[in-house]
Amino acid sequence: MSIQDIIQIILFITLLIAFTPILGNYMSNVFTGSRHFMQPVFGWSERLIYKFAGINSNEETNWKFYTFGLLLFNLTGFVFVFLIQIFQQYLPFNPSHLANVSWHSAFNTSVSFVTNTNWQGYAGETTLSYFVQMVGLTVQNFVSAATGIAVILAVIRGISRKTTDKLGNFWTDLTRSVLYVLLPLSIIFAIILVGQGVVQNFNSYETVQTLQGAEQTIPMGPAASQIAIKQLGTNGGGFFNTNSSHPFENPTPFSNFLEMLFILLIPAALTYTYGKMVGSVRQGWTIFLVMMILFVSGLSISLYSEYSANPIFGDLQLMEGKETRFGITNSVLWSTSTSAASNGSVNAMHDCLSPFAGMVAMVNIMLGEIIFGGVGAGLYGMVVFIIITVFIAGLMVGRTPEYLGKKIEAFEVQMAIIAILAPGFVILVFSAWASVSSAGLSSLNNAGPHGFSEILYAFSSAAGNNGSAFAGLNANTLFYNLTLGFGMLIGRFGIIVPVLAIAGNMAKKKITPVSLGTFRTDNWLFAGLLIAVILIVGGLTFFPAISLGPIIEHLLMKNGITF
Amino acid sequence: MSTKQNTNSLFNKKILIQAAKDSVFKLNPVMLIKNPVIFIVAIGSLLTTVVVISDIVNNSFSSFNFQIAIWLWFTVLFANFSEAIPEGRAKALTESLRNNRTQTTASKVEWSQEVSVYATELKKGDTVVCESGDIIPSDGEVIEGIASVDESAITGESAPVIRESGGDRSAVTGGTKVISDRILIQITSEPGNTFIDRMIALVEGAKRQKTPNEIALSILLSGLSIIFLLAVVTLPAFFGYSLSASGLPMSQNLTLPVLIALLVCLIPTTIGGLLSAIGISGMDRLLQRNVMATDFIPAEGVKNEELADAAQLSSLSDETPEGRSIVILAKEKFNIRGREVHQLNATFIPFTAQTRMSGVDFKTADGKLHQIRKGASEAIRTFVQTNNGFYPQKIQDIVSDLARQGATPLVVAEDNRVLGVIHLKDIVKGGIKQRFAELRKMGIKTVMITGDNSLTAAAIAAEAGVDDFMAEATPEDKLRRIREEQANGHLVGMIGDGTNDAPALAQADIGIAMNSGTQAAREAGNMVDLDSNPTKLIEVVEVGKQLLMTRGSLTTFSIANDVAKYFAIMPAIAISLYSGGSGVGPLSALNIMNLGSPQSAILSAVIFNALIIILLVPLALKGVRYRPVSANNALIRNLLIFGVGGLIAPFAGIKLIDVLINL
């Protein structure tokens, strides 16, 4: 590692810390209905949307209505994206005359974008028309991220309110997230990206002659606008198949740095918003601290693994599959960020990471996508772990467990367990199914433990709504389209529904005032305990599976065997 | 000292033998299913046993499978055993109460005639007459007369209390005894629902309801079990893939016993097995009185050692805290060792509410029978005088003096000679001021509510060190204050004894009524403080906190244990994978404990998992020690002991067992 690499990582983390309170404070203003500077700019369209859709923005609902609205909205989105894919050849903006998409691929893709996963079983430029990309996918990039924010807002209200059953208005939360947070940031970001050379046009693909004299088709399209939101909304679905390793998606070191930063920007800032809205900024920073410690640990392991000598090739840093333009550090920083944040965009092929760096990416996802995590999703996933931690810690100090004055009782524990079980179920059971069925095994690109890692990674990615892939797996088959599709649904709504139920139940409770016997949740001790619970629960669940994949592979590599 | 006492009673042979029997009876699936974690282990044991039997039938007996099956069964039995011990102790406690109740007869007043009926036939609203020497047949209210009543059968307190009609001291409890005078009692409880009935039900655990925290913890444990179940049932698929990738035959896939062994090691059996023991022991602990012997005061002409020797002898089989503390005091002060009662050819005379004494009868070498008794001064006086002895006035003075200090005097006599007095003292941690300070440290605010005028109330409040007081309070004021506190999110505990406290007791989250209080107050509260001690709240809170801490700590311990078990079992089952024919594959690098063989590794983990339950029984019964320190300090302490300890201990334990197996 060179000194520049280290400076870049420090700069990256510093900027992330610096932006957190700025954006976090702004979002808190937006969501509490306070005045903020974007109101004059987009306020008219907010009012117009409410008027048009017949929404009374002041009317609040209980958790069941809130959940119902959320599910209905996502179902509508799914049906719409599904339909425009299977009929894309009859729809406009299809200059390259791409054919209709198969039903199972369309199912997989629409689930994928509705659930903020952006797993792509298809190659973007050869499968989907500009119309589907823009009207279907880009729209979902916005609203799926906004859905995540709406859930965490409901959780915040559940914690900070007392003896009420009102959790807010889903439609208002959704509209404000899109209008005042995602849209303005995306516009700024897209303009910067275009300035760096990312394409943004409606041209048909161009055919050029290469230096060797061969013919090559160069895909075009409105890439910058989709890339901006794919990073910001922790979506990750690339405009082109090779995602951000494509020069039209990620042309310069500066665009690379920004794209990495923008993956973590909103999830990190939401911790501050959370702290502000529950009435203690320290609580937010404690969560930020926990996420940052886990992030830096994973990054360190990956960097160490990539930079240490590979016993087969001697001292070389292996560049195969890495982002060759920007170097190993940028490949690893990206892989760690994208897997930590449930983003899923890539600039290097995770298949080609060293076993331990690949394992870090996989573990980041398996832990439940809570290391910053998806927009909103990471934070509410973290709240689930906080509930478990507070419960165990509360028992250990001999006090009925409470978090921010709310008692943690059987119902909360039960829902938290369901939320932890849902993705674990998908990862373990579906991977097991794939590794014994011929339909699952026939898609493998690599042999041995690496092939197993590919399967495990795919289902982890689906369950964690991450969307990145180990890329060695041919996932556009009936089997994988369906299993991964259902995996994404369970991984998304199997957490959202219990979390909203927790929020609804908490809102009904009284707030216990702080006393000497209250167990604090905003200090280093709690942060350490939370990390331990996350690692132990995650580790105990997945240790056998991981040891048969990346760990064996790493040990074999030490002995000079690769796959 | 308290540690010592508990250990003594824990290894009481009778209870242990009974518990061992009960742990087999508890294999009944209907009882097992109440504890999901242990139920899973039982199913696993059954399946493994089926595998062993089919091995035998197919002539391919595997001693490894057999040993796994044996240890799995032991895991279930150990868990049952841990539950049976506190149940046995509680049962012994209620036995005498029950005898008392069923054999009592009462004089019921019907049409101004007195009819003799069984106590169990009395209904609410009946009127009975009790005279000196009668056992009060059921709970009721004195409607006529005044009497002194001995409530030692339920409170353990030997000093009689006054009960009279009208006022705040009218309630009487079934099973207590009228010592003097005659009272008319109106029965206030239906048969089967009297105080003693409820106490028996409570102690025996039949009606013991799970607390909300216990339910939440059971859910967490079940959830963890499901996670581990998923991790284990998917393993053969992952393993099968790895086998074919290493070119090994599918017949080498994981066998059922190995999978079950892994599952049982991972699911939280330690806390699962000990969970109900913790809860039952909490009830048990609340009923125990915190008294201990602090001094021996000999009568004139008696040597200190002689008194201590006799006192110890009479207490050897006495399992009450008083009895145990006497044995220990004698040993500490005069180095008199405890002896086995049956070796002395002695019979132990247990305490009864009628005799109000306990002691031993033994024969010396010359064949002469000696009787040693200890008990309340009145009882001993009768005992000595029946034996034509003399009860000195000096002793009576010491007794009165001790009683005035708030201590409990026990008089010791041998045959017709009074030997002296044992000074029993309640273990009250400091004065009342200190106790309120303790409450403050726990985060509990104390408010004194009184009908006195403000000036008097302020003086008393300052004296006692309460945080706040409310003077000239009416019942409505009390109720309003409690509602206000509750509206602010506080949990309110209320202690009271008067009829005018009843509404507030009912409104409070925890209402503790004094045993000496009115029937109305006792019915309104959630619990009755038998000792009528206002600072009882501290004990209730402490025992409650101890229960939570014990559960939390053992859960942490149980989960932390799994790390070591993975490191024992994973390399053992995956040793052949990718070995390229050598038989020792790369995952053997995870065998950081350097365990002897794959089979001994798995077996060691299973054995450790079973033994740890038994080893932790004393802790579960005694509870994790509570100290009034800040939540953070308590957490750090328990995390270091049970979290870090839970990570390290099994590494050492499994390694040790593995070494022993491979000897």
Side-chain angles (χ1 to χ4, degrees):
Chain A
M1 263 175 101
S2 66
I3 190 83
Q4 285 93 326
D5 289 326
I6 294 169
I7 290 173
Q8 196 207 321
I9 290 172
I10 292 173
L11 184 69
F12 179 80
I13 292 172
T14 313
L15 281 177
L16 192 61
I17 295 173
F19 276 123
T20 294
I22 299 171
L23 181 59
N25 191 39
Y26 166 72
M27 286 194 286
S28 154
N29 287 339
V30 168
F31 297 130
T32 49
S34 314
R35 292 199 61 77
H36 55 88
F37 70 94
M38 285 309 287
Q39 236 162 4
V41 187
F42 283 119
W44 57 272
S45 52
E46 187 187 353
R47 286 186 293 276
L48 200 68
I49 290 171
Y50 294 155
K51 205 174 168 191
F52 199 69
I55 297 163
N56 177 359
S57 66
N58 294 321
E59 190 186 40
E60 301 211 335
T61 60
N62 64 22
W63 83 266
K64 284 179 184 154
F65 268 91
Y66 200 94
T67 312
F68 177 73
L70 184 148
L71 293 178
L72 184 72
F73 178 75
N74 280 287
L75 178 68
T76 315
F78 162 77
V79 172
F80 177 73
V81 178
F82 178 76
L83 289 178
I84 59 172
Q85 282 182 84
I86 57 174
F87 296 120
Q88 76 168 354
Q89 99 184 49
Y90 313 116
L91 296 168
F93 296 107
N94 189 1
S96 303
H97 304 290
L98 298 169
N100 290 339
V101 182
S102 75
W103 69 269
H104 52 85
S105 172
F107 164 78
N108 184 287
T109 305
S110 20
V111 167
S112 166
F113 279 76
V114 167
T115 56
N116 195 252
T117 312
N118 294 29
W119 169 271
Q120 290 166 297
Y122 59 91
E125 56 271 49
T126 56
T127 317
L128 297 182
S129 70
Y130 294 161
F131 181 80
V132 173
Q133 295 251 22
M134 283 199 318
V135 179
L137 306 191
T138 307
V139 168
Q140 285 303 324
N141 277 349
F142 278 95
V143 293
S144 67
T147 300
I149 294 181
V151 174
I152 192 63
L153 287 177
V155 170
I156 290 172
R157 294 192 193 110
I159 291 171
S160 58
R161 291 178 177 182
K162 56 179 176 182
T163 54
T164 174
D165 62 347
K166 300 278 183 275
L167 278 190
N169 184 321
F170 170 71
W171 308 103
T172 314
D173 291 341
L174 186 77
T175 312
R176 287 186 181 156
S177 305
V178 173
L179 276 185
Y180 298 130
V181 179
L182 298 169
L183 205 56
L185 281 171
S186 302
I187 292 173
I188 298 167
F189 190 28
I191 291 170
I192 300 174
L193 286 178
V194 171
Q196 291 296 309
V198 177
V199 295
Q200 176 78 7
N201 58 41
F202 289 101
N203 302 344
S204 63
Y205 300 166
E206 286 184 15
T207 309
V208 294
Q209 282 226 314
T210 63
L211 289 175
Q212 283 95 347
E215 284 210 335
Q216 188 182 0
T217 308
I218 306 288
M220 290 288 159
S225 56
Q226 190 179 326
I227 291 158
I229 186 62
K230 96 166 185 203
Q231 298 303 91
L232 278 169
T234 58
N235 293 291
F239 194 82
F240 305 114
N241 190 29
T242 54
N243 212 302
S244 283
S245 55
H246 194 289
F248 283 177
E249 278 205 37
N250 186 11
T252 67
F254 182 61
S255 74
N256 188 64
F257 185 81
L258 279 188
E259 286 185 17
M260 289 193 295
L261 188 64
F262 274 48
I263 294 176
L264 299 179
L265 190 64
I266 298 181
L270 273 173
T271 59
Y272 189 90
T273 312
Y274 177 85
K276 191 130 191 257
M277 288 177 76
V278 300
S280 159
V281 176
R282 258 183 86 102
Q283 298 283 350
W285 280 118
T286 310
I287 296 177
F288 182 90
L289 178 75
V290 168
M291 292 173 165
M292 187 51 95
I293 290 173
L294 287 167
F295 177 78
V296 171
S297 314
L299 182 64
S300 309
I301 296 172
S302 301
L303 285 171
Y304 173 78
S305 168
E306 286 294 338
Y307 278 100
S308 56
N310 180 310
I312 302 165
F313 302 101
D315 253 335
L316 289 172
Q317 293 155 21
L318 294 181
M319 288 307 294
E320 190 245 278
K322 306 283 161 48
E323 176 50 271
T324 44
R325 296 170 300 159
F326 309 132
I328 285 201
T329 300
N330 274 305
S331 304
V332 171
L333 186 55
W334 190 300
S335 77
T336 312
S337 304
T338 195
S339 57
S342 150
N343 181 288
S345 65
V346 289
N347 72 351
M349 294 302 114
H350 290 183
D351 202 27
C352 305
L353 294 172
S354 68
F356 266 27
M359 182 177 80
V360 167
M362 203 185 311
V363 169
N364 277 342
I365 300 171
M366 283 173 166
L367 292 180
E369 286 297 6
I370 46 163
I371 308 169
F372 298 108
V375 169
L379 196 49
Y380 64 68
M382 187 59 103
V383 170
V384 167
F385 275 99
I386 288 175
I387 286 175
I388 299 290
T389 308
V390 163
F391 182 74
I392 294 176
L395 288 185
M396 279 213 281
V397 300
R399 197 179 157 90
T400 296
E402 58 194 37
Y403 178 56
L404 295 168
K406 297 286 185 163
K407 284 213 176 78
I408 303 298
E409 290 165 301
F411 185 78
E412 285 78 20
V413 172
Q414 191 176 6
M415 290 299 132
I417 284 286
I418 292 175
I420 288 176
L421 267 175
F425 172 83
V426 171
I427 296 171
L428 289 172
V429 174
F430 285 16
S431 299
W433 186 10
S435 49
V436 291
S437 63
S438 57
L441 293 172
S442 62
S443 289
L444 286 184
N445 201 9
N446 294 78
H450 196 79
F452 179 63
S453 297
E454 287 171 1
I455 295 177
L456 200 57
Y457 194 101
F459 286 103
S460 304
S461 177
N465 295 138
N466 182 288
S468 65
F470 244 28
L473 188 76
N474 170 26
N476 195 4
T477 65
L478 181 65
F479 175 82
Y480 279 105
N481 275 331
L482 290 184
T483 49
L484 291 168
F486 282 109
M488 288 184 266
L489 283 176
I490 299 172
R492 177 78 165 177
F493 298 105
I495 299 178
I496 284 184
V497 176
V499 161
L500 285 174
I502 291 175
N505 201 46
M506 282 221 195
K508 285 185 201 139
K509 296 185 183 194
K510 295 186 280 195
I511 293 182
T512 315
V514 176
S515 78
L516 264 178
T518 309
F519 166 66
R520 294 185 61 162
T521 53
D522 60 354
N523 55 15
W524 282 91
L525 179 64
F526 182 73
L529 190 60
L530 181 56
I531 291 173
V533 168
I534 292 168
L535 291 180
I536 288 185
V537 169
L540 292 179
T541 315
F542 300 112
F543 184 79
I546 290 174
S547 58
L548 293 177
I551 293 182
I552 270 198
E553 199 188 336
H554 173 83
L555 294 166
L556 285 170
M557 183 187 79
K558 291 264 178 209
N559 298 338
I561 304 166
T562 53
F563 296 90
Chain B
M1 172 140 323
S2 66
T3 321
K4 187 116 191 183
Q5 289 174 11
N6 280 307
T7 337
N8 279 348
S9 79
L10 190 67
F11 294 110
N12 178 322
K13 255 188 211 149
K14 204 174 132 197
I15 289 175
L16 286 186
I17 291 168
Q18 186 58 41
K21 279 188 205 156
D22 284 349
S23 47
V24 179
F25 290 129
K26 280 169 177 282
L27 288 177
N28 179 351
V30 183
M31 291 168 92
L32 274 179
I33 203 155
K34 286 181 194 156
N35 188 338
V37 177
I38 297 304
F39 188 67
I40 294 177
V41 183
I43 292 178
S45 320
L46 201 64
L47 288 176
T48 317
T49 312
V50 171
V51 170
V52 170
I53 292 170
S54 83
D55 281 352
I56 295 172
V57 173
N58 296 327
N59 237 344
S60 58
F61 175 74
S62 143
S63 95
F64 171 73
N65 287 353
F66 177 71
Q67 291 181 67
I68 292 279
I70 293 288
W71 281 103
L72 291 182
W73 280 119
F74 269 121
T75 311
V76 181
L77 287 175
F78 288 167
N80 287 347
F81 183 69
S82 77
E83 190 180 279
I85 290 179
E87 277 180 2
R89 285 163 72 183
K91 262 188 195 138
L93 210 80
T94 51
E95 207 94 306
S96 62
L97 291 175
R98 180 174 290 141
N99 290 341
N100 212 340
R101 186 193 53 175
T102 47
Q103 291 154 11
T104 313
T105 55
S107 311
K108 186 175 158 191
V109 182
E110 270 179 20
W111 312 107
S112 45
Q113 294 268 315
E114 284 181 27
V115 192
S116 180
V117 295
Y118 280 107
T120 43
E121 293 169 4
L122 289 172
K123 292 197 180 58
K124 200 171 170 176
D126 289 348
T127 308
V128 293
V129 176
C130 286
E131 289 176 336
S132 156
D134 285 350
I135 302 271
I136 296 176
S138 185
D139 297 357
E141 196 157 2
V142 181
I143 50 172
E144 199 185 303
I146 176 168
S148 65
V149 178
D150 172 13
E151 299 198 330
S152 60
I154 54 167
T155 63
E157 185 71 53
S158 35
V161 292
I162 301 296
R163 292 286 178 244
E164 59 186 326
S165 61
D168 283 351
R169 293 185 298 176
S170 62
V172 287
T173 311
T176 56
K177 188 178 176 185
V178 177
I179 300 181
S180 68
D181 305 297
R182 178 176 189 272
I183 43 176
L184 223 60
I185 298 167
Q186 184 161 39
I187 304 299
T188 51
S189 296
E190 291 295 346
N193 197 27
T194 65
F195 185 75
I196 286 189
D197 288 315
R198 273 180 287 154
M199 192 153 122
I200 291 171
L202 205 64
V203 172
E204 287 184 341
K207 270 194 185 166
R208 196 179 71 88
Q209 287 183 336
K210 282 188 174 179
T211 61
N213 272 314
E214 211 175 337
I215 296 170
L217 183 58
S218 312
I219 291 171
L220 180 71
L221 295 180
S222 304
L224 286 172
S225 302
I226 296 173
I227 289 177
F228 292 127
L229 194 63
L230 285 177
V232 172
V233 296
T234 52
L235 201 52
F238 300 158
F239 214 76
Y241 173 93
S242 306
L243 282 173
S244 67
S246 341
L248 294 168
M250 276 302 153
S251 57
Q252 286 196 19
N253 209 331
L254 302 171
T255 62
L256 192 60
V258 168
L259 285 172
I260 291 171
L262 178 60
L263 177 66
V264 168
C265 284
L266 293 180
I267 60 175
T269 46
T270 314
I271 175 69
L274 295 172
L275 197 56
S276 55
I278 296 170
I280 300 169
S281 70
M283 293 301 312
D284 196 17
R285 235 175 303 147
L286 258 186
L287 285 171
Q288 283 175 15
R289 279 192 354 121
N290 281 324
V291 286
M292 57 180 286
T294 55
D295 204 3
F296 295 117
I297 307 161
E300 239 168 299
V302 179
K303 270 197 215 141
N304 231 329
E305 283 83 351
E306 193 185 353
L307 168 63
D309 186 50
Q312 193 194 47
L313 208 56
S314 67
S315 309
L316 282 175
S317 294
D318 184 355
E319 279 304 324
T320 62
E322 296 100 316
R324 288 196 299 268
S325 74
I326 291 169
V327 174
I328 290 161
L329 184 70
K331 185 180 159 194
E332 279 178 353
K333 272 204 152 174
F334 305 103
N335 203 20
I336 303 171
R337 298 242 150 239
R339 291 142 289 192
E340 287 289 333
V341 179
H342 56 84
Q343 282 172 359
L344 297 168
N345 204 7
T347 24
F348 179 66
I349 313 293
F351 178 89
T352 63
Q354 283 79 16
T355 61
R356 296 167 64 215
M357 305 184 291
S358 64
V360 284
D361 288 356
F362 65 96
K363 277 186 184 146
T364 42
D366 53 17
K368 205 176 155 217
L369 181 78
H370 289 277
Q371 297 177 304
I372 299 179
R373 293 290 181 274
K374 66 172 200 292
S377 70
E378 283 310 305
I380 297 293
R381 180 200 288 272
T382 324
F383 171 76
V384 174
Q385 284 168 353
T386 346
N387 288 338
N388 300 320
F390 165 68
Y391 192 82
Q393 182 58 36
K394 190 88 184 284
I395 292 292
Q396 191 54 47
D397 291 346
I398 296 171
V399 166
S400 321
D401 196 38
L402 286 177
R404 217 173 303 122
Q405 290 171 26
T408 309
L410 274 187
V411 184
V412 183
E414 185 172 354
D415 303 328
N416 59 0
R417 199 161 64 106
V418 177
L419 295 178
V421 184
I422 306 170
H423 179 181
L424 286 180
K425 202 173 156 196
D426 280 11
I427 310 174
V428 178
K429 292 147 201 151
I432 195 149
K433 207 163 183 171
Q434 243 173 307
R435 305 213 85 187
F436 283 130
E438 263 177 42
L439 282 173
R440 205 169 301 126
K441 271 191 207 153
M442 289 177 183
I444 297 171
K445 191 177 147 195
T446 46
V447 183
M448 184 181 92
I449 304 182
T450 170
D452 287 344
N453 67 55
S454 307
L455 226 66
T456 319
I460 297 175
E463 175 88 5
V466 294
D467 296 322
D468 193 6
F469 70 90
M470 239 181 111
E472 292 166 46
T474 63
E476 293 76 38
D477 291 339
K478 295 178 189 178
L479 199 59
R480 197 177 321 119
R481 176 68 185 255
I482 289 180
R483 289 206 173 123
E484 269 167 31
E485 297 285 351
Q486 286 175 329
N488 289 333
H490 291 284
L491 209 71
V492 181
M494 156 97 190
I495 305 177
D497 60 354
T499 305
N500 62 358
D501 289 329
L505 281 171
Q507 174 69 33
D509 298 286
I510 313 161
I512 302 181
M514 300 278 193
N515 188 42
S516 59
T518 61
Q519 190 64 27
R522 300 199 319 183
E523 273 173 11
N526 314 84
M527 47 176 99
V528 175
D529 170 21
L530 298 174
D531 295 346
S532 303
N533 179 354
T535 53
K536 188 75 174 183
L537 183 63
I538 296 180
E539 259 120 87
V540 174
V541 172
E542 262 185 23
V543 170
K545 277 183 182 288
Q546 266 193 321
L547 289 184
L548 293 189
M549 283 165 77
T550 313
R551 288 189 195 121
S553 301
L554 287 181
T555 305
T556 309
F557 184 84
S558 203
I559 299 170
N561 269 217
D562 284 359
V563 175
K565 291 173 191 160
Y566 264 138
F567 276 99
I569 296 182
M570 273 314 288
I573 59 178
I575 189 164
S576 62
L577 295 179
Y578 304 103
S579 59
S582 72
V584 181
L587 272 188
S588 58
L590 293 182
N591 184 6
I592 52 177
M593 282 178 270
N594 200 14
L595 300 176
S597 71
Q599 296 196 334
S600 75
I602 296 171
L603 206 53
S604 305
V606 174
I607 294 174
F608 176 84
N609 192 53
L611 290 182
I612 198 75
I613 297 180
I614 280 294
L615 289 177
L616 288 175
V617 166
L619 180 73
L621 297 186
K622 204 173 68 190
V624 172
R625 194 151 153 223
Y626 173 77
R627 293 150 196 245
V629 291
S630 78
N632 275 353
N633 289 344
L635 182 66
I636 292 173
R637 196 188 133 80
N638 287 333
L639 267 184
L640 283 178
I641 298 177
F642 297 99
V644 179
L647 276 177
I648 298 167
F651 278 105
I654 291 174
K655 177 68 188 170
L656 182 70
I657 295 170
D658 183 73
V659 169
L660 292 176
I661 289 178
N662 286 309
L663 274 182

